Amino acid sequence: MLYDLIDHDLIDVVNHNSDAWEDAVKTTTSYLEKKGYVTANYAEAIIQSTYDNGPYYVLCPGIAMPHARPEAGVLKTGLGIHIFPTAIEFGSDLGPANILLTLAATDPDTHIEVIQALSEMLVDEENIARLTAATSKNEVLDIIKAY
């Protein structure tokens, strides 16, 4: 279950707006860094990758999955879920996102289980709407409990 696979300390409803996407990436990766999932340079690796390759991680309107290559500072596989009060513009044709699913994967295969469970939850537009409107970590946890 997604609820059991995700470290609950990596889930939060961010109480401040982020005017720049770079700041949002730094905010979300700081949770991963504090818990030992990534090194301090992981945020910069995501930012540089975005400059080099564009916002490839915007999955659909409202949802982005910022990540970088394992060698960019991933220590262990983890996924952070962060809801921002307003959508952040990454420059994607898919539009801005206020749900950031920050991924740290040690290799291409280790995160498959989390991604599969996550995609089951995100195919339901009602879940996306509920996540977008979440105002507390407990609301986010309630949504993912079914997955």
Side-chain angles (χ1 to χ4, degrees), residues 114-133:
V114 173
I115 299 301
Q116 287 174 335
L118 189 60
S119 60
E120 286 177 32
M121 179 180 71
L122 295 176
V123 297
D124 185 341
E125 290 186 23
E126 183 177 321
N127 287 332
I128 295 172
R130 289 176 61 208
L131 283 171
T132 299

Side-chain angles (χ1 to χ4, degrees), residues 77-133:
T77 297
L79 179 75
I81 300 176
H82 295 88
I83 315 298
F84 284 81
T86 59
I88 299 150
E89 185 56 63
F90 288 90
S92 170
D93 292 342
L94 297 174
N98 79 310
I99 301 169
L100 273 65
L101 310 168
T102 308
L103 177 65
T106 55
D107 62 68
D109 298 323
T110 56
H111 66 284
I112 296 295
E113 190 176 359
V114 173
I115 299 301
Q116 287 174 335
L118 189 60
S119 60
E120 286 177 32
M121 179 180 71
L122 295 176
V123 297
D124 185 341
E125 290 186 23
E126 183 177 321
N127 287 332
I128 295 172
R130 289 176 61 208
L131 283 171
T132 299

